[in-house]
Amino acid sequence: DGGITQSPKYLFRKEGQNVTLSCEQNLNHDAMYWYRQDPGQGLRLIYYSQIVNDFQKGDIAEGYSVSREKKESFPLTVTSAQKNPTAFYLCASKKDRGGYGYTFGSGTRLTVV
Amino acid sequence: DAKTTQPPSMDCAEGRAANLPCNHSTISGNEYVYWYRQIHSQGPQYIIHGLKNNETNEMASLIITEDRKSSTLILPHATLRDTAVYYCIVRALLTDSWGKLQFGAGTQVVVTP
């Protein structure tokens, strides 16, 4: 079945360490996105990519980095510069510019210890 | 994108219809109303969208007022599995900003036996 796979589901990181969250899709979608969700809050956009080798900052890009070397993959690195990285991270993809049809992964819960 | 206002929470008895309101008084002519839901610790799931006509699919019905300033999502026979946070989002179908799916805090719906 087509879908988005995020791994790992739970991730623990020590302060000062970089960590990379994986996101892979086999839907042949052009656009991919990373959102952050804090408890009781809505989703906030971190980065998005419309095509391979291109990506744009979202509303809260500071302390994060991404790459888009393949259409299927859009990994997110949470760097040590991110002051409060503990959150639920969601990856999504979409076929084109239309507003519906977002497919979300099941998320990665990152905890800084 | 127009902003939306939703009640923070509502309860619904299993088997009854759940009516979820959303105000979007600043909606513009080319903006659609989208509904997503997020079950705890999962990624959001698309439910339905509409422009000005009422819409129905296998999951829900969407009723949009004639002036388009508000809408109601109807879950016709709520089940325990419908317990989730429901997001109402207003967005143009085609936009230069591929990633701007603005999630607010949504409505926490709890379906009780």
Side-chain angles (χ1 to χ4, degrees), chain A residues 33 35 37 42 59 97 99 102, chain B residues 38 87 93 95 98-100 104:
Chain A
Y33 309 82
Y35 287 89
Q37 187 173 36
D59 298 320
R97 290 171 62 196
Y102 284 80
Chain B
Q38 186 177 21
Y87 298 99
L93 182 61
T95 172
W98 283 56
K100 286 291 186 179

Side-chain angles (χ1 to χ4, degrees), chain B residues 85-99:
Chain B
V85 178
Y86 287 77
Y87 298 99
C88 170
I89 301 165
V90 173
R91 185 171 184 266
L93 182 61
L94 293 177
T95 172
D96 289 338
S97 179
W98 283 56

Side-chain angles (χ1 to χ4, degrees), chain A residues 10-29:
Chain A
Y10 297 96
L11 189 58
F12 296 88
R13 186 196 97 176
K14 291 182 179 180
E15 281 195 44
Q17 286 182 338
N18 293 354
V19 63
T20 298
L21 282 58
S22 171
C23 178
E24 303 277 333
Q25 55 100 357
N26 60 2
L27 299 164
N28 198 34
H29 282 178

Side-chain angles (χ1 to χ4, degrees), chain A residues 71-110:
Chain A
K71 187 175 185 178
E72 302 80 17
S73 178
F74 191 41
L76 173 74
T77 297
V78 184
T79 75
S80 56
Q82 169 49 235
K83 298 304 180 188
N84 186 20
T86 295
F88 188 49
Y89 290 88
L90 286 158
C91 179
S93 70
K94 186 157 66 69
K95 178 61 177 172
D96 53 30
R97 290 171 62 196
Y100 62 96
Y102 284 80
T103 301
F104 283 83
S106 56
T108 293
R109 191 167 298 279
L110 173 65

